[in-house]
Amino acid sequence: MQFLLLPLTFLSKFFDVYGFFLVFLVILWTLFKRPEDIPKIIPSWKTFIFWSVMILFQFLAMLLSFPFSAKANIPIGMFKSFSLILEEVLMIWMVYAFSKLFIVSKIDAVKFIRWAIYGYILYSFLVIVPEVFITLGFHFFDGYINFLASIFETRWTGRTDFYGLGSYAVTQGRVNGFEGESPVFANLLGVVYIPIFIGLIIGKDHSVFKKPAFILWPLVIFSMVFLLMAKTTTGILTIIFLYISWLFFSNSKDRRFLLFMGIIGLLIIGCSYIFINPVHTILNQFLFQKQGTSNRIGGTIGLILTFLSKPIFGTGQGFAGYFINENVPLWSTHNWEYQYIYSKLGYPVLSGLFGAFAQYGLVIMVPFLFFFSKYIFNLSAKRKHYFNLGVRRDDFYFSMLNSSEITLFVIIFSSILSFDLFKWSIFFILFFYWRIMYLSDIKNKKFPEIN
């Protein structure tokens, strides 16, 4: 279990191919040693019915969309798309089973977080820092990064412009951490890793590290730099979302310190914007004077119109591309990326939130939003309960409850801009927080476990 997040980002390409096999073997071996745990990973009949109905609705949506999508340049196959939705459901169940089997106590949870941080530090030294040097114009790591990228980097089909010089970082001059591109990397840091660091700082936890400040503060600062070096609007907005959530969840004393640090940070950024050309270029290109947003804006409008045209059942998983091309505004298509990539290979889903509505429809999204809202309400109530104690009974649980709320805060806002949310590491961290909800209240059962 300690290697659960060690680090899945670096191995995301590996997990895309072998993740199911690897996790299934671990679950199978664990159940072989502890057969009494088998009932733990069997979902309740209500959960089983919900997922079965969802799959049937998706199959119906695909049947309704198939006659239209068959007209596309690259027709979308029913079998492939239906297999994809089954894989995603299976992934969710496997991560659920993994968390039930391996995160059964505070000791397990602490080990999970400690090794996640160790993995992130290793990942930073091996991958991110060399890419930062490349981004700053120092190319002595080019060969090293190109070699590792040839093995580990996730690459989008048809995007030779992203990897023409060997790797994304070398070709684009932007940090991507071996993800398909920078926004995916930025979303991963903002959802999976940085909320852990901030939550531990807020809760002043000493169970993960004896001297947390010497480890966590440098990790936060360097991670913010990594997000900036990703040179993406998603990264810059993620920094803003994380800072706002940090202010909101901190106590009054820490909030004053963060406001002071924020002012100092703004002054440093302002001076850097004026006097340091690379910083000036990054902020102009990806925030103040951002160009090349026609596909992102056009694709989002296309997704909204697609949802409005199929509001009940949606298009079905994988079938949105054809309908986005049909609904995308004409003014947004006059660019190289659309004419040579999207118009030929299909328009990708560039917004996780609107993409979910367009593909799954209201029959799935309304129940999902209901349960998601209920979970957030319970989580917020639990965190406030710990906060109102004054002297916290358990700083680790309080820290992780803060981390989980920050993670959800970032997901809600970044899902409008982010895509590729169905990742092993994101599911692992979300189910870890779900287990924290249960473990933190295991005595009084105020928030009973949901199978």
Side-chain angles (χ1 to χ4, degrees):
M1 187 280 297
Q2 291 93 324
F3 297 96
L4 209 56
L5 274 179
L6 225 190
L8 291 185
T9 312
F10 185 71
L11 299 174
S12 61
K13 180 181 178 181
F14 172 83
F15 264 79
D16 287 342
V17 179
Y18 303 108
F20 287 100
F21 179 73
L22 179 62
V23 177
F24 179 73
L25 278 182
V26 175
I27 292 174
L28 196 64
W29 176 249
T30 303
L31 294 178
F32 176 76
K33 294 190 298 181
R34 305 199 311 258
E36 67 275 10
D37 286 343
I38 292 178
K40 290 182 179 181
I41 66 171
I42 299 176
S44 67
W45 64 271
K46 292 181 180 179
T47 302
F48 182 79
I49 290 175
F50 171 80
W51 285 104
S52 299
V53 171
M54 189 204 77
I55 292 172
L56 288 175
F57 279 141
Q58 275 291 280
F59 184 71
L60 176 60
M62 293 175 187
L63 282 177
L64 296 174
S65 297
F66 182 73
F68 299 95
S69 61
K71 305 172 187 177
N73 293 332
I74 301 179
I76 302 168
M78 278 284 298
F79 178 78
K80 181 179 179 181
S81 294
F82 192 66
S83 298
L84 182 61
I85 193 69
L86 291 178
E87 285 181 8
E88 290 175 352
V89 172
L90 180 60
M91 177 194 293
I92 293 172
W93 174 80
M94 293 179 79
V95 177
Y96 159 83
F98 213 108
S99 64
K100 288 291 290 289
L101 291 172
F102 289 97
I103 304 176
V104 296
S105 67
K106 177 185 173 182
I107 294 175
D108 297 329
V110 170
K111 287 181 179 178
F112 179 96
I113 292 300
R114 183 182 295 131
W115 281 87
I117 294 174
Y118 287 158
Y120 179 74
I121 293 172
L122 177 66
Y123 170 59
S124 298
F125 277 109
L126 292 179
V127 180
I128 306 178
V129 171
E131 288 189 348
V132 168
F133 278 105
I134 292 171
T135 301
L136 294 174
F138 302 99
H139 293 280
F140 41 82
F141 284 115
D142 283 13
Y144 166 77
I145 288 296
N146 283 341
F147 171 72
L148 289 183
S150 67
I151 303 172
F152 296 110
E153 188 169 62
T154 301
R155 296 182 178 180
W156 303 141
T157 302
R159 297 312 305 258
T160 54
D161 56 311
F162 280 173
Y163 323 103
L165 298 180
S167 67
Y168 183 93
V170 174
T171 305
Q172 295 289 314
R174 300 162 65 185
V175 173
N176 76 318
F178 291 165
E179 292 297 332
E181 56 181 297
S182 290
V184 181
F185 166 76
N187 186 59
L188 197 72
L189 259 61
V191 170
V192 176
Y193 291 107
I194 301 178
I196 295 175
F197 313 148
I198 295 176
L200 291 173
I201 292 173
I202 291 174
K204 297 175 174 56
D205 172 75
H206 289 267
S207 56
V208 179
F209 301 109
K210 292 183 179 179
K211 296 182 179 180
F214 290 100
I215 298 175
L216 297 174
W217 275 101
L219 283 176
V220 170
I221 294 171
F222 280 113
S223 297
M224 296 300 184
V225 173
F226 297 159
L227 287 175
L228 187 62
M229 289 296 101
K231 295 183 179 179
T232 172
T233 305
T234 302
I236 296 174
L237 292 178
T238 298
I239 294 173
I240 296 173
F241 294 152
L242 288 167
Y243 178 72
I244 292 173
S245 61
W246 196 350
L247 281 174
F248 179 81
F249 291 114
S250 295
N251 60 37
S252 57
K253 179 181 178 181
D254 292 342
R255 190 176 294 124
R256 288 193 294 270
F257 174 74
L258 286 172
L259 285 172
F260 173 75
M261 293 298 295
I263 294 172
I264 298 298
L266 284 176
L267 290 175
I268 293 174
I269 292 173
C271 293
S272 300
Y273 178 77
I274 296 172
F275 298 107
I276 302 177
N277 189 58
V279 175
H280 181 92
T281 302
I282 290 173
L283 292 178
N284 272 348
Q285 186 175 357
F286 297 101
L287 192 63
F288 301 134
Q289 300 174 14
K290 183 172 175 59
Q291 304 292 323
T293 59
S294 56
N295 285 325
R296 181 60 67 92
I297 297 174
T300 301
I301 294 173
L303 278 171
I304 295 173
L305 294 176
T306 297
F307 163 69
L308 293 176
S309 67
K310 295 180 176 292
I312 305 301
F313 297 106
T315 65
Q317 174 71 42
F319 281 82
Y322 169 79
F323 297 98
I324 298 173
N325 265 326
E326 290 295 302
N327 291 304
V328 69
L330 184 62
W331 57 262
S332 69
T333 63
H334 304 299
N335 60 83
W336 179 90
E337 191 173 39
Y338 174 82
Q339 294 172 3
Y340 291 94
I341 304 294
Y342 297 164
S343 65
K344 299 181 184 299
L345 300 179
Y347 216 109
V349 173
L350 298 178
S351 170
L353 178 63
F354 295 119
F357 274 98
Q359 293 182 100
Y360 302 135
L362 293 175
V363 292
I364 293 175
M365 291 304 296
V366 168
F368 169 78
L369 291 176
F370 171 78
F371 288 116
F372 185 72
S373 300
K374 184 179 179 181
Y375 176 78
I376 291 178
F377 175 81
N378 288 343
L379 178 61
S380 179
K382 170 60 74 67
R383 188 191 64 82
K384 289 179 181 177
H385 171 67
Y386 269 84
F387 182 78
N388 291 333
L389 287 174
V391 178
R392 258 87 69 181
R393 293 177 300 179
D394 196 318
D395 286 337
F396 175 75
Y397 286 138
F398 180 69
S399 298
M400 291 300 98
L401 291 170
N402 280 288
S403 295
S404 58
E405 285 211 69
I406 292 171
T407 293
L408 294 176
F409 176 81
V410 174
I411 285 179
I412 290 170
F413 285 94
S414 67
S415 63
I416 300 173
L417 300 175
S418 302
F419 49 95
D420 197 27
L421 296 176
F422 291 98
K423 301 183 70 65
W424 284 95
S425 50
I426 291 179
F427 279 119
F428 272 132
I429 200 66
L430 290 178
F431 272 94
F432 168 79
Y433 290 138
W434 169 72
R435 292 296 294 166
I436 287 294
M437 273 282 289
Y438 171 64
L439 294 174
S440 63
D441 206 56
I442 199 164
K443 292 181 179 179
N444 57 35
K445 296 290 185 181
K446 185 177 180 180
F447 296 99
E449 185 173 16
I450 300 174
N451 289 320

